[in-house]
Amino acid sequence: MKLLVITDAHLITQNGQKVAYAPYVKEMNLWMSQVDHTTFICPNKIRGPLLGLPFKIQDFKQIALRRLEFHTLISALISFLTIPYQAIVLWNAMRKADHIHLRCPGNLALLASMIQVTLPRKRKTAKYAGNWDPESKQPLAYNMQKWILSNTVLTKNMQVLVYGKWKSQTKNIKPFFTASYYNNDKEPIIDRNFKQPLKAMYVGTMGANKRPFETVQLIKFLRSSGLDITLEMYGDGPVVEDIKWYRKENGILDQIVIRGNQPGHVVKEAYKNADLLILLSKSEGWPKVVAEAMFWGAVPIVSSVSCVPWMIGNDKRGILIHDPEHIGAEYLGKQLTNKEALLEMSKEAAEWSRQYTMDTFAQEIKKLLQ
């Protein structure tokens, strides 16, 4: 089988190896292992560093297309001029493939989603890695992709993989997930008694969307209300210096530790020993760190965005924050002193997350390609 993958994700060469964003590579390794040959259509140049991982299978074809960008007048003009060429390249590659796999959302993926309409007999899948919530506010390009992909009159012979279960969806929309661990990674959950001091952690980019600064403020407010709680932060980004200043100004240097970017095995050990994971994101697709923390029994405190309510069972497996701007430290503090409830959430979180392993992920991909 010849698999064609169309994506806006960068795929570059480093030290003689083809590499891409690490979580994406781990998933694509599973797709590539099920087919005879893979072709990627994607950008091959990137500005700045890439948290890259080499593909296990290096023998694949890459067709380089520039990203379609419209942030400035010049980039928009160049993008519009290149669209006809890109459309021809995409259509020719689609015509030769046995299975077309789109990675959405993205501008290149939007163009590809339009072109696939002309090939109704081709077998296709689309992985929509953004927020599929029909009620959420999305950029126009994202809404267009969602409309085309879910329109079964235009889009034929395609399964669209989305995060979460949503009401009133067309028959080609399939709830999906992203896994991090294998079945053989499962270990007994460390016994937590949820006694103070509670150990919380944050994992992710230190940028405005993930609200790391607001997470630090929450810890400070919880401590001020009488709850003994500490925080370890894993990640890096533009907000780090603000957090360092805030810790010093508020006398909580010892209670909030910044670990920076760490390898997976270090973060894994932190999950095992943490009581809580806090993630107050403004937007998410599939919040991988939430699923990983739940796998090890850490109770998530998460904003109610995208598929998160589905993941944590509407407060059954964690604590939903509906308004991160007005959380209410006293209210949350009461929830965090209810040890029995936290123990039940921890148990439910681990049981739910451990359904979604890389092994089950591989089986789902195999079914999709059959």
Side-chain angles (χ1 to χ4, degrees), residues 1 10 30 35 40 175 183 196 198 221 260 299 366:
M1 177 186 289
H10 297 87
L30 297 178
V35 299
F40 286 87
N183 285 333
Q196 298 182 40
L198 291 172
F221 295 150
V299 174
K366 187 175 182 179

Side-chain angles (χ1 to χ4, degrees), residues 24-214:
Y24 165 65
V25 170
K26 290 178 181 178
E27 179 177 335
M28 291 315 303
N29 284 336
L30 297 178
W31 288 87
M32 295 167 72
S33 68
Q34 301 291 334
V35 299
D36 301 310
H37 186 265
T38 305
T39 299
F40 286 87
I41 298 183
C42 59
N44 68 341
K45 296 178 182 178
I46 187 172
R47 302 186 194 97
L50 175 68
L51 183 60
L53 181 72
F55 289 87
K56 284 185 178 179
I57 299 172
Q58 290 284 310
D59 183 20
F60 61 82
K61 183 179 179 181
Q62 181 181 10
I63 300 173
L65 288 181
R66 72 183 311 277
R67 295 192 75 178
L68 296 172
E69 298 178 344
F70 302 92
H71 305 300
T72 66
L73 181 60
I74 293 176
S75 65
L77 179 60
I78 294 172
S79 294
F80 277 121
L81 290 174
T82 60
I83 284 176
Y85 167 74
Q86 294 204 8
I88 293 170
V89 171
L90 288 168
W91 189 82
N92 280 328
M94 288 183 180
R95 182 174 55 84
K96 297 173 184 177
D98 296 316
H99 189 103
I100 301 165
H101 180 57
L102 308 184
R103 307 289 297 190
C104 305
N107 289 332
L108 186 59
L110 172 58
L111 181 59
S113 68
M114 295 176 178
I115 296 169
Q116 62 83 23
V117 172
T118 67
L119 300 165
R121 295 183 181 179
K122 286 288 181 180
R123 295 168 57 198
K124 292 163 280 189
T125 50
K127 172 75 178 287
Y128 194 90
N131 183 357
W132 191 261
D133 183 356
E135 302 300 323
S136 66
K137 294 182 179 180
Q138 302 275 325
L140 177 61
Y142 287 20
N143 284 330
M144 287 177 65
Q145 284 168 79
K146 292 165 71 173
W147 180 79
I148 293 170
L149 295 175
S150 60
N151 188 318
T152 53
V153 175
L154 293 175
T155 298
K156 303 289 188 181
N157 209 18
M158 176 185 281
Q159 293 189 71
V160 184
L161 317 175
V162 306
Y163 294 141
K165 292 183 179 180
W166 307 99
K167 295 180 180 179
S168 304
Q169 297 299 301
T170 50
K171 62 182 180 180
N172 66 331
I173 306 302
K174 179 180 175 65
F176 214 64
F177 62 96
T178 294
S180 298
Y181 303 113
Y182 288 88
N183 285 333
N184 59 13
D185 288 318
K186 293 178 182 178
E187 300 173 8
I189 302 297
I190 293 174
D191 289 334
R192 293 173 171 85
N193 53 28
F194 291 100
K195 290 182 179 179
Q196 298 182 40
L198 291 172
K199 294 181 288 185
M201 63 185 295
Y202 167 95
V203 184
T205 305
M206 297 286 204
N209 181 61
K210 301 287 186 182
R211 289 194 174 105
F213 188 79
E214 289 81 352

